Amino acid sequence: MTVETRQPTIECALAHVDDEIDHVRAERDSFEDFLDRLDTIQTNGRVTPRTDGNHAVVTSLEASAPTELQPIRRAYRETVMGVSHYEQEYGDTLRESLTVELGETVATYVMDGQILSPMVRDTLRKATNQCLAEREDFLRLLRQESGSLDAIANELNELEARVVEIGNRIDATETSAQLARIGEKLQRTEQRCTALANRRQKRIHSRENISLSGVDSASLSQYLYTDMETVTPALADIASCIETIRYLRIRCLH
């Protein structure tokens, strides 16, 4: 008879990761759309820029000129701020979003400037491309995490099915020698569970921290699973399996 097992904490974690992948993919696409819109907006040469470090700074504007940054603001609202989860996840203002994503200098250009110069547009494009690169890197980490959780769930299902099979023999066993052999099989299975937990621990400690605009440096587990009962869902399901094994091993001693 096939033993059906499941890993509820890992399943919940996978749902969190899948949601995050959907959100980050939508954000990546929105920045691509913003870049496309940016390339269609005309620039004006009536600005004399200077550079300050890595940023361009506007030093002169025609005060009476009508603003040419309004199309930029509209494009940003309709693309980056237009993703379906934006209000629920962020809910910040245009200036706040520009500052978080593209930097304070760029936000000042867009919100307070009047003329869109080629230098300003190039700065906008560079900052937006950085956001795109961050989302691509984050998507890579999320896909790796999803694959890792899937692999652990599959291995843990196999181990738990083995535990159930071995444990079912206890009640039908009549001699202490037979119980001792069952206990040894359970011990070996526990060792495999412990090795699985150690591999997961090593992966958690060795992977990269998040580098994403607006997100403080934090481990991926803390970022993804902070709303769950545990930020180490795979380890929680492994620990549950080990607890069951130890209970059965104690039964083998009586």
Side-chain angles (χ1 to χ4, degrees):
M1 182 179 66
T2 302
V3 176
E4 296 291 338
T5 61
R6 59 185 297 264
Q7 311 306 323
T9 316
I10 294 178
E11 289 171 9
C12 183
L14 279 167
H16 277 67
V17 175
D18 288 344
D19 285 345
E20 191 66 20
I21 287 174
D22 288 343
H23 288 176
V24 176
R25 187 186 293 118
E27 291 173 15
R28 178 203 60 191
D29 293 346
S30 75
F31 279 110
E32 289 179 343
D33 291 343
F34 178 65
L35 276 177
D36 291 341
R37 293 276 292 272
L38 183 60
D39 287 339
T40 68
I41 298 172
Q42 295 288 329
T43 61
N44 192 302
R46 291 177 292 174
V47 179
T48 303
R50 63 178 175 83
T51 59
D52 180 10
N54 294 325
H55 301 289
V57 179
V58 175
T59 56
S60 65
L61 291 170
E62 291 185 15
S64 61
T67 179
E68 296 171 358
L69 277 301
Q70 186 59 37
I72 299 293
R73 298 171 198 150
R74 183 169 58 251
Y76 188 88
R77 284 195 185 97
E78 293 174 355
T79 56
V80 176
M81 298 178 71
V83 293
S84 60
H85 62 276
Y86 189 87
E87 285 301 321
Q88 181 178 355
E89 293 291 325
Y90 305 110
D92 47 13
T93 65
L94 175 60
R95 184 183 292 272
E96 288 169 343
S97 181
L98 286 165
T99 300
V100 167
E101 297 290 357
L102 305 183
E104 185 175 357
T105 302
V106 173
T108 300
Y109 290 159
V110 175
M111 297 303 297
D112 302 329
Q114 291 179 302
I115 297 173
L116 177 62
S117 72
M119 179 70 78
V120 169
R121 185 159 70 177
D122 286 346
T123 303
L124 269 166
R125 185 182 290 111
K126 180 179 178 181
T128 304
N129 276 317
Q130 178 62 35
C131 289
L132 273 171
E134 289 175 351
R135 261 63 179 193
E136 288 290 357
D137 288 344
F138 194 23
L139 279 173
R140 174 179 54 81
L141 288 177
L142 291 170
R143 290 174 183 132
Q144 289 174 354
E145 175 71 356
S146 179
S148 175
L149 290 174
D150 268 329
I152 291 171
N154 290 335
E155 187 168 353
L156 199 51
N157 282 332
E158 177 188 341
L159 289 169
E160 288 190 350
R162 176 69 172 158
V163 170
V164 172
E165 178 189 353
I166 296 171
N168 285 340
R169 302 175 193 171
I170 294 175
D171 289 335
T173 301
E174 297 178 353
T175 68
S176 59
Q178 290 174 327
L179 285 173
R181 285 194 293 272
I182 291 174
E184 289 171 358
K185 292 178 181 179
L186 288 168
Q187 182 180 21
R188 288 193 291 271
T189 306
E190 181 179 342
Q191 289 169 347
R192 290 178 60 188
C193 284
T194 300
L196 182 61
N198 289 338
R199 292 200 301 272
R200 178 62 179 177
Q201 284 275 27
K202 183 177 180 181
R203 181 180 183 86
I204 290 172
H205 293 311
S206 65
R207 68 189 173 196
E208 307 162 62
N209 281 352
I210 297 171
S211 177
L212 189 65
S213 297
V215 178
D216 294 334
S217 179
S219 74
L220 189 64
S221 294
Q222 290 171 331
Y223 178 81
L224 288 173
Y225 311 128
T226 188
D227 293 332
M228 293 180 58
E229 292 183 2
T230 174
V231 295
T232 55
L235 292 176
D237 280 344
I238 296 171
S240 179
C241 183
I242 290 175
E243 183 179 357
T244 299
I245 293 171
R246 290 176 177 172
Y247 167 74
L248 294 174
R249 289 182 64 190
I250 290 172
R251 288 186 61 197
C252 290
L253 299 176
H254 293 82

